[in-house]
Amino acid sequence: MREADAVQETGSGKTGHEELLRERVAALLDRHDPGGDRLEWLRARFDAGLAWVWFPEGLGGLGLPRELQQVVESELAHTPQLDTGVQGIGLGMAAPTILAFGTEAQKRRFLRPLWTGEEIWCQLFSEPGAGSDLATLATRAVRDGDEWVVDGQKVWTSGAHHSRWAILVARTDPAVPKHRGMTYFVCDMHAPGVEVRPLRQITGEAEFNEVFLTGVRLPDDLRLGEVGDGWRVAQTTLMNERVAIGGAPVRQGGGMAGAVLDTWRAHPELRTHDLHQRLLELWVEAEVTRLSGARLREQLAAGQPGPEGSGMKLSFARLNQALSGLDVELRRDLGYDDWTFRRSDTVDFYGRGPGYRYLRAKGNSIEGGTSEILRNIIAERVLGLPAEPRADKDVPWKDLPR
């Protein structure tokens, strides 16, 4: 009997589910020491169904409502946690896509090491000529028996330098319109022909990369979804990506707003009336965004994310840039003097110094969908405004000017 079904017989509604989860947590803590080997602890938590409770049983979950994850997180708050900076793409983008479109074998192969952090994931979507208009991508995948041979270039790939796997969209049929000729794959980042080159950012770090794919052979069992259905699969990834970036839980006064508030409280001598007014305006906007994020996560509990996640990500980018700018202006000092080239170990929007936060926030309006494209999505798919004219909509990709 499934755990969710058992609750219906032994308890009612949310209370019964919460009791089940607390019993599960207690049993996990009784059998496994969270202070011991970190990896063994995370594996045990996954196997107990306490990784993401809304996933099916056997895949890190219990088939329970998504909002009950907060019960688990509260009970296990003082145990080893995931590194969401380096694992963010796997957790927020690859996992829900694999769950939605993967075979049973793919789900069982990839989800556990993805969640525990044994295997890090990156995202091979954007290209030098296909960023905002992803559907124009030119990376080709040509079938050769039971394999696909992939050639092309991807860019702005976060964490590719320490990734084991990647989610990849490639063109498999250039003779049909651009949205209909793509297929979605899991790419082995250790396969021959995969080359990762660093992209140096304004901070001096190389968190992003460009990835060159030359004759990369991928077995057909690494394909996600049907051949030619890559755009639909990619939409699941992109919608989850924007929720993961812009809709993550934030406590009141947390995130970038918390960093600015710390400065404001610590340095009363730097305050002015105008800065106070700007801080109040941004505080109100941060609260609206935080509460909108809570509502969005409640909607997620009922199904797949929709275009509303684009609004959250748009607000996240604007707020981060405005707040980090206010912080630097208040301090009257960038506070950043090390532009040495170095590889980034993780992604951290908030936990570094004010100068780093200010510089890093400039990328927020590009990564995960540019703010300009997100405004189009909100206008057309949320507000129902007329779509922009698209002359290339029904033209075969091979005939498009490039």
Side-chain angles (χ1 to χ4, degrees):
M1 180 183 295
R2 293 175 61 251
E3 295 288 353
D5 296 333
V7 169
Q8 296 300 320
E9 294 189 9
T10 61
S12 62
K14 186 176 179 180
T15 301
H17 291 320
E18 291 179 356
E19 290 176 358
L20 165 68
L21 287 175
R22 291 193 172 93
E23 290 173 1
R24 280 268 177 160
V25 169
L28 175 66
L29 291 170
D30 183 56
R31 296 170 188 161
H32 301 276
D33 178 13
D37 183 85
R38 180 178 183 276
L39 181 56
E40 290 304 316
W41 163 258
L42 292 176
R43 287 172 174 169
R45 178 175 166 179
F46 183 95
D47 294 341
L50 300 173
W52 30 46
V53 299
W54 67 98
F55 274 43
E57 291 182 52
L59 299 175
L62 297 169
L64 298 177
R66 183 178 184 137
E67 65 267 22
L68 290 171
Q69 184 68 32
Q70 61 186 337
V71 176
V72 177
E73 301 304 331
S74 176
E75 292 287 319
L76 297 176
H78 301 295
T79 64
Q81 301 296 305
L82 306 181
D83 183 349
T84 54
V86 74
Q87 292 180 249
I89 291 174
L91 296 169
M93 302 165 214
T97 308
I98 293 169
L99 182 66
F101 292 96
T103 64
E104 286 304 310
Q106 288 170 334
K107 294 173 189 177
R108 295 191 179 279
R109 164 62 186 86
F110 292 121
L111 290 177
R112 188 178 189 247
L114 180 157
W115 189 84
T116 62
E118 294 169 78
E119 295 177 343
I120 303 302
W121 288 66
C122 64
Q123 180 184 19
L124 299 177
F125 276 30
S126 294
E127 300 181 4
S132 295
D133 187 4
L134 178 63
T136 60
L137 62 84
T139 293
R140 289 292 309 276
V142 178
R143 190 150 196 173
D144 181 17
D146 292 332
E147 293 183 318
W148 295 84
V149 182
V150 183
D151 291 276
Q153 179 187 356
K154 299 292 184 175
V155 74
W156 307 123
T157 307
S158 298
H161 52 293
H162 49 224
S163 292
R164 176 64 182 84
W165 299 100
I167 44 179
L168 164 70
V169 184
R171 188 159 304 283
T172 49
D173 187 352
V176 298
K178 59 184 183 180
H179 290 90
R180 299 208 299 267
M182 295 181 288
T183 302
Y184 197 115
F185 299 92
V186 171
C187 179
D188 182 354
M189 293 297 288
H190 292 175
V194 177
E195 180 186 1
V196 177
R197 300 181 189 173
L199 282 175
R200 187 175 184 181
Q201 296 155 239
I202 195 173
T203 61
E205 293 186 339
E207 171 193 320
F208 295 110
N209 304 269
E210 51 185 348
V211 178
F212 294 84
L213 306 162
T214 306
V216 178
R217 288 187 168 270
L218 302 177
D220 188 56
D221 60 12
L222 289 181
R223 172 172 48 85
L224 277 182
E226 299 299 322
V227 175
D229 201 27
W231 182 251
R232 184 168 70 97
V233 183
Q235 287 305 297
T236 296
T237 302
L238 294 172
M239 288 188 292
N240 279 284
E241 176 183 33
R242 287 154 192 169
V243 172
I245 294 175
V250 178
R251 62 175 175 81
Q252 186 179 57
M256 196 69 79
V260 182
L261 289 170
D262 289 343
T263 305
W264 184 266
R265 292 166 181 143
H267 299 282
E269 74 280 4
L270 300 179
R271 301 173 188 171
T272 68
H273 174 73
D274 288 344
L275 289 173
H276 190 205
Q277 291 301 113
R278 286 169 57 191
L279 179 58
L280 288 175
E281 291 171 2
L282 291 172
W283 166 267
V284 171
E285 187 169 346
E287 273 298 280
V288 170
T289 301
R290 184 180 70 85
L291 295 173
S292 297
R295 184 173 64 178
L296 178 62
R297 290 190 297 277
E298 290 178 358
Q299 293 172 343
L300 282 178
Q304 291 295 317
E308 296 84 0
S310 296
M312 292 301 306
K313 197 273 170 178
L314 179 66
S315 181
F316 163 85
R318 201 197 78 80
L319 264 175
N320 267 9
Q321 292 173 352
L323 284 165
S324 62
L326 179 62
D327 194 16
V328 169
E329 186 175 344
L330 174 61
R331 294 170 183 268
R332 302 169 195 174
D333 180 12
L334 183 64
Y336 193 83
D337 58 4
D338 182 10
W339 281 269
T340 305
F341 172 74
R342 57 198 179 278
R343 275 301 203 178
S344 174
D345 293 327
T346 188
V347 179
D348 188 351
F349 294 141
Y350 311 123
R352 307 271 287 272
Y356 174 86
R357 292 193 294 266
Y358 172 76
L359 295 171
R360 180 59 182 81
K362 299 305 178 186
N364 293 165
S365 51
I366 302 172
E367 57 197 340
T370 65
S371 292
E372 291 78 8
I373 292 300
L374 295 182
R375 289 188 180 97
N376 277 359
I377 293 173
I378 293 166
E380 296 175 13
R381 299 181 59 194
V382 179
L383 301 179
L385 298 178
E388 288 187 348
R390 294 180 173 89
D392 62 353
K393 189 173 182 181
D394 298 315
V395 179
W397 178 85
K398 64 183 178 61
D399 296 331
L400 294 177
R402 280 181 292 281

